Amino acid sequence: AILELTPGVGGQEAALFAGELYEMYERFAESHGWRFELEHYSEATAGGLQSATVRISDGDGGGVGTSSGGGGFEGDVAEGPYGWLRFESGVHRVQRIPETEKKGRMQTSGAAVVVLPVAVESDLVLGKGDLRVDISKKSSGPGGQSVNASFQAIRITHLPTGMSAFCASSQSQAENRVRAMEMLRTRLLDQQTSARTSFERS
């Protein structure tokens, strides 16, 4: 499964909440013996999480929640991490008094969670002419530490839509390229599926 986290309304408190959700999912994955592989992590300026993308798979590499053809996700009853986490998609909210709040006022903050099954090449074929591949000099992980050596991080952009995917989880540039393509294909297929569903409902 692909898990994406971004803070919503609430400023710094939302970023802190998103960071706590990230840690919660990481501990949940560990408790189930799943692999929790960080693809991208951007820390907020004042602490917490600005954005993160994680690939979660079960210990033997199976059960990752892959799509099984047919050009869409609906109808696939995935097992493993995606089966457990698919209903986590949506906006999560918390009401609490921030530590920086001197007057004791309650604040509502939110974070967006997206959980997608991993799309495979047979689900969506992408033409090489529609893609731009950028190689970054470096990447950062939680706390700002370096995750990979220079020139290993890969960003692939789908030119017709402007959608992109970034991966810096491996020291291997080739492996990062494969995973970035996998994430991009997953996002594009989800976009197509959502658009088709909206059209059918209208």
Side-chain angles (χ1 to χ4, degrees), residues 5 15 18-20 22-23 26 36 38-44 47-54 139-145 147 166 168:
L5 283 162
E20 292 169 1
Y22 173 89
E23 294 174 357
E26 184 176 25
F36 192 85
L38 181 63
E39 307 287 0
H40 165 71
Y41 190 105
S42 178
E43 188 174 11
L49 173 69
Q50 181 175 337
S51 64
T53 302
V54 177
S139 60
S140 297
Q145 74 269 26
V147 174
F166 176 88

Side-chain angles (χ1 to χ4, degrees), residues 89-162:
S89 288
V91 177
H92 294 239
R93 293 184 175 86
V94 62
Q95 284 188 316
R96 62 188 180 189
I97 300 174
E99 294 182 1
T100 56
E101 176 54 58
K102 298 180 180 180
K103 296 183 180 180
R105 292 175 295 189
M106 190 76 72
Q107 179 175 325
T108 300
S109 303
V113 177
V114 177
V115 181
L116 298 171
V118 179
V120 295
E121 188 171 359
S122 59
D123 292 321
L124 184 65
V125 178
L126 300 176
K128 292 184 179 180
D130 291 335
L131 303 174
R132 185 182 73 236
V133 179
D134 298 307
I135 304 174
S136 302
K137 292 184 178 181
K138 64 179 181 178
S139 60
S140 297
Q145 74 269 26
S146 177
V147 174
N148 298 290
S150 296
F151 300 100
Q152 299 304 316
I154 298 292
R155 180 180 299 277
I156 302 179
T157 302
H158 185 243
L159 298 176
T161 62

